[in-house]
Amino acid sequence: MTSPVQAYYRHEHGENPALLQSPRDVDVLIDTLLASGPSENLASLHSLERPLMPAGFPDHELLVGANGDLQLGVLAFTDEKVMVSFDPLAGRPEVCYSIMGSATEFPSCSEIPISLVRQAVKEFLLSGGRQPTCIEWQEPEFW
């Protein structure tokens, strides 16, 4: 059985995160982000299958962004280092997604088709919080 993934993407999730327990839940999350405005199109995910650090915080994070106008999205996976989704053919000069009004800038070649974002988040859920292997990754110069 798959362990749930906690999702934070709205203010009310601070004390009560949304739980993703199935691939259908992932689709609902992505659809919600796609329909959201630019100040709420990013989510922070943590698998409950992975251990907590001694201070009680998750040892990993998957950021998931979805842009409904472009039908593109971004991913950033953090555990021992930060890796960001990569598409060498993409390249908007400014790539920015926001979680609860707080903006995060991503490298210019980080947006990928939304179908790959869905696939990667489902892989994260079903693998117990491991870094998805279905997309290309890059180590960003800044973060």
Side-chain angles (χ1 to χ4, degrees):
M1 184 168 152
T2 302
S3 291
V5 167
Q6 292 180 323
Y8 301 87
Y9 56 98
R10 298 291 185 263
H11 289 287
E12 61 267 20
H13 296 144
E15 296 296 322
N16 188 24
L19 287 180
L20 309 180
Q21 300 184 71
S22 69
R24 175 72 187 124
D25 294 339
V26 170
D27 286 331
V28 169
L29 168 68
I30 301 297
D31 290 343
T32 300
L33 295 175
L34 285 168
S36 298
S39 67
E40 292 187 314
N41 61 0
L42 185 66
S44 173
L45 308 182
H46 304 105
S47 174
L48 294 178
E49 192 165 317
R50 292 195 43 167
L52 296 176
M53 295 188 309
F57 296 104
D59 72 340
H60 69 289
E61 178 179 53
L62 180 67
L63 290 178
V64 181
N67 183 317
D69 292 337
L70 300 175
Q71 291 297 298
L72 296 172
V74 293
L75 298 164
F77 183 80
T78 304
D79 60 1
E80 295 175 12
K81 61 183 176 179
V82 176
M83 299 299 285
V84 178
S85 49
F86 179 66
D87 183 348
L89 302 177
R92 284 193 309 142
E94 293 183 21
V95 178
C96 188
Y97 288 77
S98 297
I99 185 169
M100 294 179 261
S102 180
T104 301
E105 292 184 32
F106 290 84
S108 65
C109 292
S110 59
E111 289 180 301
I112 60 175
I114 204 67
S115 60
L116 285 176
V117 171
R118 287 181 194 278
Q119 184 179 348
V121 176
K122 289 174 185 178
E123 183 180 337
F124 176 79
L125 169 72
L126 297 173
S127 71
R130 292 190 188 100
Q131 181 176 348
T133 59
C134 63
I135 66 165
E136 289 187 62
W137 295 95
Q138 63 181 316
E139 193 168 353
E141 292 180 28
F142 66 90
W143 200 273

